[in-house]
Amino acid sequence: MIQFVHNNKTPNPKRINILGASIIFITLYGCIGSKVTKNRTERNSKTLYNVIALNQKSVAEPQPTLIWDFSQNRITGSAGCNKYSCDLVINQSNLNALLVDSIITTKIYCNSQVMATEYLFLDNLKKAKRWVQNRDTLFLSNAEGQSILVAVKT
């Protein structure tokens, strides 16, 4: 409660202390339960990403997608034309190290430009050895440390 002083009256110290305590309580209570994650996708969630770059070149429509599902250790999505699914193995001693294994896809043929992007996307997914998340952007790099895939959270 905010109290205005009129006619040269002094404010009641009890009311000021209650106001101060209320502000502190609301501030602290608002922080309870909020999670701060730095460079990590939540381990119990599915997160959808749109791929915006492969081998440091922007990707045209249709963009491949990644759905990271840590609870099932899977990545699924659209490679551009075909749907895919693969196993995701995160190294427990180095949580930024990963292995993408057992990629399976549907077998629909699309125009050559879409198929070229799809083949490059799937090849880069197989080559991915490290991942870093910076806010809403996911970066995958190969064994040599070169950026091979950039995706943004949707």
Side-chain angles (χ1 to χ4, degrees):
M1 169 184 240
I2 298 176
Q3 181 181 14
F4 293 98
V5 178
H6 296 289
N7 301 329
N8 294 329
K9 292 182 182 177
T10 58
N12 184 341
K14 267 189 176 175
R15 286 190 179 168
I16 292 175
N17 287 339
I18 291 172
L19 176 64
S22 297
I23 291 171
I24 291 170
F25 175 78
I26 290 169
T27 303
L28 292 176
Y29 184 78
C31 293
I32 294 173
S34 65
K35 293 182 181 177
V36 176
T37 57
K38 185 176 179 182
N39 296 333
R40 286 280 181 267
T41 298
E42 286 295 325
R43 293 292 173 136
N44 57 355
S45 66
K46 289 183 181 180
T47 307
L48 174 64
Y49 295 90
N50 284 331
V51 176
I52 60 169
L54 294 168
N55 294 341
Q56 301 175 1
K57 294 179 184 170
S58 63
V59 175
E61 294 288 334
Q63 293 174 317
T65 61
L66 297 159
I67 301 171
W68 284 54
D69 184 351
F70 281 105
S71 65
Q72 298 294 316
N73 294 322
R74 310 259 326 135
I75 302 174
T76 59
S78 169
C81 179
N82 288 286
K83 303 292 182 201
Y84 73 93
S85 179
C86 57
D87 294 330
L88 172 64
V89 180
I90 301 291
N91 183 334
Q92 293 304 313
S93 62
N94 179 358
L95 296 178
N96 286 98
L98 67 91
L99 173 67
V100 175
D101 195 24
S102 304
I103 298 175
I104 57 172
T105 67
T106 56
K107 298 289 183 186
I108 300 170
Y109 183 79
C110 295
N111 73 50
S112 59
Q113 182 181 358
V114 173
M115 293 307 295
T117 299
E118 184 167 297
Y119 292 143
L120 179 60
F121 167 73
L122 293 170
D123 189 50
N124 282 1
L125 201 54
K126 284 185 241 178
K127 292 177 181 175
K129 299 298 177 205
R130 274 185 61 79
W131 71 285
V132 174
Q133 182 178 348
N134 186 354
R135 298 183 189 240
D136 290 341
T137 305
L138 178 69
F139 300 91
L140 299 183
S141 56
N142 61 17
E144 292 79 33
Q146 299 166 325
S147 177
I148 57 173
L149 189 150
V150 179
V152 292
K153 189 188 281 188
T154 59

